[in-house]
Amino acid sequence: MHTIYQYQEFISEYLQSQYEAKEPKNLYEPIHYILDLGGKRMRPVLTLMSAEVFDADYKKALPAALAVEVFHNFSLVHDDIMDDAPLRRGKQTVHEKWNINTGILSGDAMLILAYQYFEKYPPKIFRKLAKLFSKTALEVCEGQQWDVDFEVRDDVTIPEYLKMIEYKTAVLVAAAMKMGAIIAKASKENANLIYDFGLNLGLAFQLQDDYLDAFGDPETFGKQVGGDIIENKKTYLYLKAVAFSEKEQQQQLMDLFSVQPEDNSDKIKAVKEIFNSSGASKATQDAIQDFTFKAFQTLDKMNISADKKAMLRTFGENLMGRAV
């Protein structure tokens, strides 16, 4: 097994080896641009890691890992257009640097390129990977649409929210891990268990993201703290606060989430106080622990060596140990 840093290096090297000068430049340069912005590349790392967990050479998993990374970045290009976001990882978004039409078209090309990486596998493996990828890609789109729908709804339930983050975030984490198992020709049971491990870890990760958005340390979180509150996003914290609050506090929270003042500092402070006093903060932390525990439970059922179970558990603990 390798370290996460080594996996990141392997992916970066493989990505660079795939680049070639192609025309038209305005289609391919934006693709290289977004992929070169980097990030943690956690999803493709999981594909390589999963392949090695099931005793395959990580090199065999590189094309699938890159397919996952290209697809993830395709979704970011289009999400940034939908959100009218000016920055991605501290740099101009594709549609800002070029234009919206270029962002749409380059994103479309990335989706097709992602599929092409599966063509590097023999037919039986290709079919399994492509089937999983198609299911996952459609679920990600469904999750994104639910996210958009929820912005204008006042009746979003907690099960609906959990389904939305499962589709928008967790299924791609789960699929990335299952792809490694498929390439390693792991048993069907082990492949399904590693999928469940990734799914629950992905849910815990997204709920933690919700929590850190409100209560994270600006020095370590990497994003603007309070961003979801500013944008009136109905996160798990918000939904739990509404569920736990008395009528007066419910109305105060709803009122706060119906305005966008020029200076948001008082709004953020007031909302965070309600999150804490209502018990929503603790409920969110409990849910994060529950999903992390569910992920670790699947490891007990997996037919792999104890040291590999320990390595996956350590990875999960490190992922969920982000600074607040």
Side-chain angles (χ1 to χ4, degrees), residues 170 174-175 177-178 189-203 291 294-296 298-299 301-302:
M177 299 204 83
K178 189 172 182 178
E189 185 185 10
N190 269 346
N192 289 336
L193 284 168
I194 201 92
Y195 182 92
D196 290 343
F197 174 80
L199 192 74
N200 283 300
L201 210 58
L203 284 163
F291 282 114
K294 277 184 189 175
F296 292 158
T298 65
L299 295 180
K301 303 172 192 171
M302 222 174 279

Side-chain angles (χ1 to χ4, degrees), residues 71-72 74-75 79 111 115 118 129-147 163-164 166-169 171-172 175 179 195:
F71 172 77
H72 174 59
F74 140 75
S75 71
D79 284 2
L111 179 57
Y115 267 104
F118 297 127
L129 291 172
K131 187 176 180 182
L132 174 60
F133 184 74
S134 296
K135 172 181 173 286
T136 304
L138 195 56
E139 286 171 343
V140 170
C141 292
E142 289 169 3
Q144 175 67 8
Q145 185 60 55
W146 276 326
D147 195 21
K163 178 60 73 175
M164 183 272 285
E166 177 184 330
Y167 277 33
K168 188 177 176 184
T169 302
V171 292
L172 189 57
M179 282 181 192
Y195 182 92

Side-chain angles (χ1 to χ4, degrees), residues 6 20 43 50 68 86 113 125 148 163 175 197 199 211 324:
Q6 285 174 315
E20 52 183 302
R43 292 158 190 82
S50 179
V68 169
L113 286 167
I125 301 292
V148 171
K163 178 60 73 175
F197 174 80
L199 192 74
Y211 182 83
V324 297

Side-chain angles (χ1 to χ4, degrees), residues 89-114:
R89 297 170 187 146
K91 303 281 186 181
Q92 272 187 299
T93 47
V94 167
H95 70 276
E96 283 286 329
K97 189 171 173 63
W98 281 270
N99 53 62
I100 287 175
N101 288 349
T102 298
I104 292 169
L105 198 56
S106 291
D108 291 344
M110 289 174 81
L111 179 57
I112 297 158
L113 286 167

